[in-house]
Amino acid sequence: MNTVYDRFVTLIEQQVSPLAGRLGQQKYIQAIRDGFIAALPFMIVGSFMLVFIFPPFSPDTQWGFARAWLDFSAKYQPQLLLPFQLSMGLMTLFISVGIGASLARLNGLDPVTTGLLCLMAFMLVAAPVKDGSISMQYFSGQGIFTALLTAIYASEMYAFLKRNNITIKLPPQVPTGVARSFEVLIPVLVIILTLHPLNLLVESSTGMILPQAIMSLVKPLVAASDSLPAMLLAILVCQILWFAGIHGALIVTGIMNPFWMANLAVNQAAMAAGEPLPHIFLQGFWDHYLLIGGVGSTLPLAFLLLRSKAAHLRSIGKMGIVPGFFNINEPILFGAPIIMNPVFFLPFLLVPMINATFAWFALDFGLVERVVSLTPWTTPGPIGASWAANWAVSPLILSLLCMCSAAAMYYPFLKAYERTLLKQEVEEKQSARGDLAAAAAR
């Protein structure tokens, strides 16, 4: 067993860790992650508005408060929808600017100018004008992959032109803001002269504008991302990287965010239309069923540590319980430790995978409501699960069941580790007594 474990650790150290490190430092993955983080506050507030638009009550309820709320939301739905449409409905605009600003910092460009250039590039291909009105169809999840590609293209084109001095340079005496405005003139022209003809060419050839064509190309990937095998693979990668001490969640979520946002927009549209929600594996599912208390679902383990007979584990439990409520579990990961600890390898790997399978089928069979809102990742698991599903009760119960399942799976491994530590404590006390006796004899 030790030989197999040693080989596994060697494989992680020599093969997996360097590859994951390079992937995590890849500038486009960093930029996409930064872009979503920049847009996150707007999307969370926009998602929160859904509870006012679609109250968590049965349409047939006769309870006075619920009935009044339902009638109010039905009467003023267009007014209530406006904040949602100008936040979640414009997510791709925020993401475009965020990605552009991040790449600008990595390429040594001005973040504001680059962010606006990326916004223009996206609008150029994803904002068709008809009868004097701009369509917002691709400003939400349907245009997310277009936003990523146009932001990367626009920022890299700007960087290329500047590196090769293909810009308008004004004398040093000209104010910086004015000089920067003239510097970006050629990049703006190049973006327009490349993206706009490309969009027209795609439309004339396929009958679809660029965002439609891109979504049709990535549709199989989007569909595959919302499957049990894809979810288990994402968890496996995340857990193995974290066991090696690498922040695997950053890498996995950086890759999955575009798919999650696209599917979230579809779920929200289905909810607004009164149709069944099609997608299961979204960020709310990931955060509140699989990472309860942090990666590995360690909040139940923190409760178990509080009652441990080993002084070391009790102290780690006391330090980790409060952060664990908010899905921050570094005190437990590095304090117990779980990282590179062979005793905890199996439960750390299997707990989220088993809970993922259990939760997947609970949602797939219609026993639990699906995710329609974006929640902060620091929201405590059961509360966040309910919030993400428009304050339904069944997700809260499922999250609590996942916690019980995690506690049951961690318990035997914790007891085995505890016995090892208690034995070490006894040996240390005996050694200390022996040293004192030897000192007294001298």
Side-chain angles (χ1 to χ4, degrees):
M1 178 64 183
N2 286 338
T3 304
V4 173
Y5 175 75
D6 290 341
R7 288 177 179 173
F8 177 74
V9 171
T10 302
L11 175 66
I12 291 177
E13 289 178 341
Q14 295 182 359
Q15 303 294 331
V16 177
S17 293
L19 177 61
R22 289 194 297 270
L23 186 62
Q25 294 300 314
Q26 212 282 331
K27 72 174 182 178
Y28 298 128
I29 290 180
Q30 285 187 61
I32 291 171
R33 185 173 65 235
D34 292 346
F36 279 99
I37 291 172
L40 196 59
F42 305 98
M43 293 192 289
I44 289 174
V45 173
S47 293
F48 190 72
M49 289 302 299
L50 284 177
V51 74
F52 297 103
I53 304 167
F54 304 102
F57 305 112
S58 169
D60 302 323
T61 184
Q62 296 303 316
W63 179 37
F65 174 74
R67 187 74 263 156
W69 190 349
L70 285 165
D71 293 342
F72 176 83
S73 66
K75 182 177 181 181
Y76 296 103
Q77 190 172 99
Q79 291 85 347
L80 293 172
L81 271 171
L82 184 61
F84 172 79
Q85 291 169 338
L86 296 180
S87 50
M88 279 296 297
L90 301 179
M91 71 162 77
T92 49
L93 306 188
F94 302 126
I95 290 169
S96 292
V97 175
I99 293 174
S102 177
L103 284 173
R105 287 188 287 268
L106 295 172
N107 289 328
L109 304 173
D110 175 62
V112 174
T113 304
T114 309
L116 293 175
L117 184 66
C118 294
L119 176 61
M120 185 208 71
F122 173 71
M123 295 280 287
L124 198 62
V125 300
V129 178
K130 186 176 182 180
D131 299 328
S133 300
I134 293 178
S135 171
M136 294 177 60
Q137 181 180 357
Y138 302 105
F139 291 178
S140 58
Q142 291 189 57
I144 198 148
F145 294 99
T146 305
L148 304 185
L149 294 173
T150 54
I152 291 172
Y153 170 71
S155 57
E156 288 299 325
M157 178 58 71
Y158 184 16
F160 171 80
L161 293 172
K162 188 169 182 180
R163 278 197 306 269
N164 290 276
N165 295 317
I166 310 175
T167 57
I168 298 174
K169 289 187 176 181
L170 297 181
Q173 295 80 7
V174 176
T176 304
V178 176
R180 189 179 295 127
S181 298
F182 277 85
E183 179 185 270
V184 81
L185 283 177
I186 292 179
V188 168
L189 186 61
V190 170
I191 297 299
I192 292 174
L193 292 178
T194 53
L195 285 183
H196 188 50
L198 174 64
N199 196 35
L200 294 175
L201 177 63
V202 170
E203 187 175 12
S204 65
S205 303
T206 65
M208 301 181 290
I209 63 172
L210 201 56
Q212 287 176 289
I214 290 173
M215 277 304 293
S216 67
L217 288 174
V218 301
K219 192 173 182 179
L221 287 177
V222 175
S225 71
D226 185 34
S227 64
L228 183 59
M231 178 172 59
L232 294 177
L233 178 61
I235 297 165
L236 179 66
V237 171
C238 177
Q239 298 303 113
I240 288 178
L241 292 179
W242 254 118
F243 189 73
I246 300 168
H247 203 311
L250 280 181
I251 296 174
V252 171
T253 56
I255 295 170
M256 292 302 301
N257 263 326
F259 300 98
W260 285 341
M261 291 300 109
N263 288 336
L264 178 63
V266 174
N267 272 14
Q268 291 174 341
M271 182 180 181
E275 299 171 355
L277 307 184
H279 297 296
I280 294 176
F281 185 37
L282 303 173
Q283 186 166 355
F285 187 100
W286 172 270
D287 287 339
H288 306 308
Y289 298 130
L290 316 184
L291 274 67
I292 305 171
V295 66
S297 288
T298 55
L299 181 58
L301 178 60
F303 283 108
L304 295 176
L305 293 176
L306 291 175
R307 299 180 61 83
S308 175
K309 296 177 182 177
H312 167 68
L313 294 181
R314 281 199 309 276
S315 64
I316 295 300
K318 291 175 183 177
M319 286 191 295
I321 191 71
V322 174
F325 274 111
F326 303 99
N327 302 320
I328 299 168
N329 64 343
E330 277 78 1
I332 292 175
L333 291 179
F334 295 98
I338 291 178
I339 303 299
M340 300 302 286
N341 185 340
V343 176
F344 284 114
F345 172 68
L346 277 178
F348 185 68
L349 188 67
L350 294 179
V351 162
M353 297 187 75
I354 291 173
N355 279 347
T357 306
F358 173 52
W360 174 274
F361 285 111
L363 271 71
D364 191 43
F365 291 152
L367 303 176
V368 177
E369 281 79 357
R370 302 186 181 189
V371 173
V372 293
S373 294
L374 191 64
T375 56
W377 66 270
T378 50
T379 309
I383 297 173
S386 179
W387 178 358
N390 205 31
W391 296 105
V393 176
S394 57
L396 184 148
I397 296 171
L398 177 59
S399 185
L400 291 174
L401 289 175
C402 287
M403 290 179 65
C404 294
S405 168
M409 286 185 276
Y410 272 119
Y411 183 76
F413 295 92
L414 173 61
K415 299 308 289 184
Y417 186 48
E418 183 182 76
R419 284 194 292 270
T420 302
L421 293 182
L422 289 173
K423 184 178 179 181
Q424 290 177 357
E425 288 179 10
V426 170
E427 291 175 352
E428 288 173 0
K429 288 180 181 178
Q430 291 175 346
S431 176
R433 289 196 191 102
D435 291 341
L436 288 173
R442 287 197 296 270

